[in-house]
Amino acid sequence: MLDRIAVGEIPRKHHIQLRAPDGTLRYEHCITRDGFDGPYTIAYHAGRPHLGRPVDASHGFARPVAAGPRPLLRRHYRTGDLHRGGAPIDARQAILFNADVVLSVLHPDREDPVYLANADGDDLVFCLEGGGQLRSTFGDLRFTKSDYVCVPRGTVHRFIPDAGVKQHWLVIECRGGMGIPKQWRNPVGQLRMDAPFSHRDFRRPDFVGPVDEGIREVIVKRGDAFTGYAHETSPLDVVGWDGTVYPWVFPILNFQPRAGLVHLPPTWHGTFAARGALVCSFVPRLVDFHPEAIPCPYPHSSVEVDEFLFYCDGNFTSRKGVGPGSASHHPAGIAHGPHPGSYEGSIGATRTDELAVMLDCFLPLEATAPALDTEDAAYHDSFR
Ligand SMILES: [Fe+2]
């Protein structure tokens, strides 16, 4: 949830009449979080937004299913190997999940032919490769390589990936909501001067008014089941809206990293907070400057936390045998640390060019069968 913006036609007060030039009444649509206590947006539709007739959903992706009990090991999945094209609404493949987050990968090769509203959580998409347009009732939002895209729960939207370009996206579905960590806001909700980003670093939707693409189906995901709703008119019939709930883009390279005299823990790279999870951004930066500093992360046991790391670009100080699209899962219960030689080899380094998205979460992550198909079986022993 970002700062309030207002676009298009809106009346001068909440809950009063808004009329088209011919006198027709517009329909107010309040989109509220935390019941009615949290952030909200009020949109105005040309028609009533609640007229969809239930139909069998024509699209959707598989619900996450655990592959079964497995020994507690450090794991590495090569998500580039999860080949399945299709529209984004069909292409998502879950690899790891718990009750708070579902981590999925997709390689879409065409645009969504229908709209989706995910009522199960906020989707945080990270575009490793490719780019495109997110079209929603709030307007169009362009994204490209190395962008995070936030699609708030319930947003009626579709993705239009750029044609002829390789696409590789990670999606973190945050079932208890996600947003900016509290410590980065001042008492009025503005991002603090010492936050690692400012309001200027985010891109907001470009609102052009009502859109009719001829699409009438909205597919709603709730409880990992998909239900279609057929509308008589375009669901993107919004004439204006204002509020703080809307999709946005944050380019990961807009994150302002910190370096310390000695190594700073990952929490300093905290970018987005979700229920039971923290998303961190590791971006190119100078490293620790104590004359005896060891810049490489120390072996550690963060004893309540499963760590997921999605590698994007650059050389990783601590790990070997991983590359863009690699996803590692280091579970709580066993210590993890650098690969042989990395710890010693980092002494004297002045910078790192690594780019990665990390997720620390409190509930154990379970792997799905598609993840197992891409697993690097030698990974656990590669630390010996
Ligand atoms: Fe770690």
Side-chain angles (χ1 to χ4, degrees), residues 251-315:
I252 192 171
L253 292 172
N254 281 359
F255 186 84
Q256 298 158 189
R258 287 177 165 86
L261 181 67
V262 294
H263 194 80
L264 294 173
T267 32
W268 279 92
H269 305 274
T271 312
F272 304 118
R275 186 185 69 198
L278 179 70
V279 177
C280 298
S281 301
F282 292 106
V283 300
R285 61 193 183 277
L286 298 177
V287 294
D288 330 318
F289 45 88
H290 188 283
E292 295 169 66
I294 302 176
C296 182
Y298 34 75
H300 57 280
S301 299
S302 184
V303 296
E304 299 101 350
V305 165
D306 273 24
E307 175 196 284
F308 169 82
L309 195 49
F310 187 66
Y311 297 84
C312 307
D313 204 3
N315 287 320

Side-chain angles (χ1 to χ4, degrees), residues 100-102 120-124 153 172-178 274-275 279:
D100 293 324
V101 291
V102 181
D120 282 332
D122 295 322
D123 279 332
L124 182 66
R153 186 194 288 262
I172 305 170
E173 183 186 70
C174 304
R175 298 196 167 203
M178 64 78 60
R275 186 185 69 198
V279 177

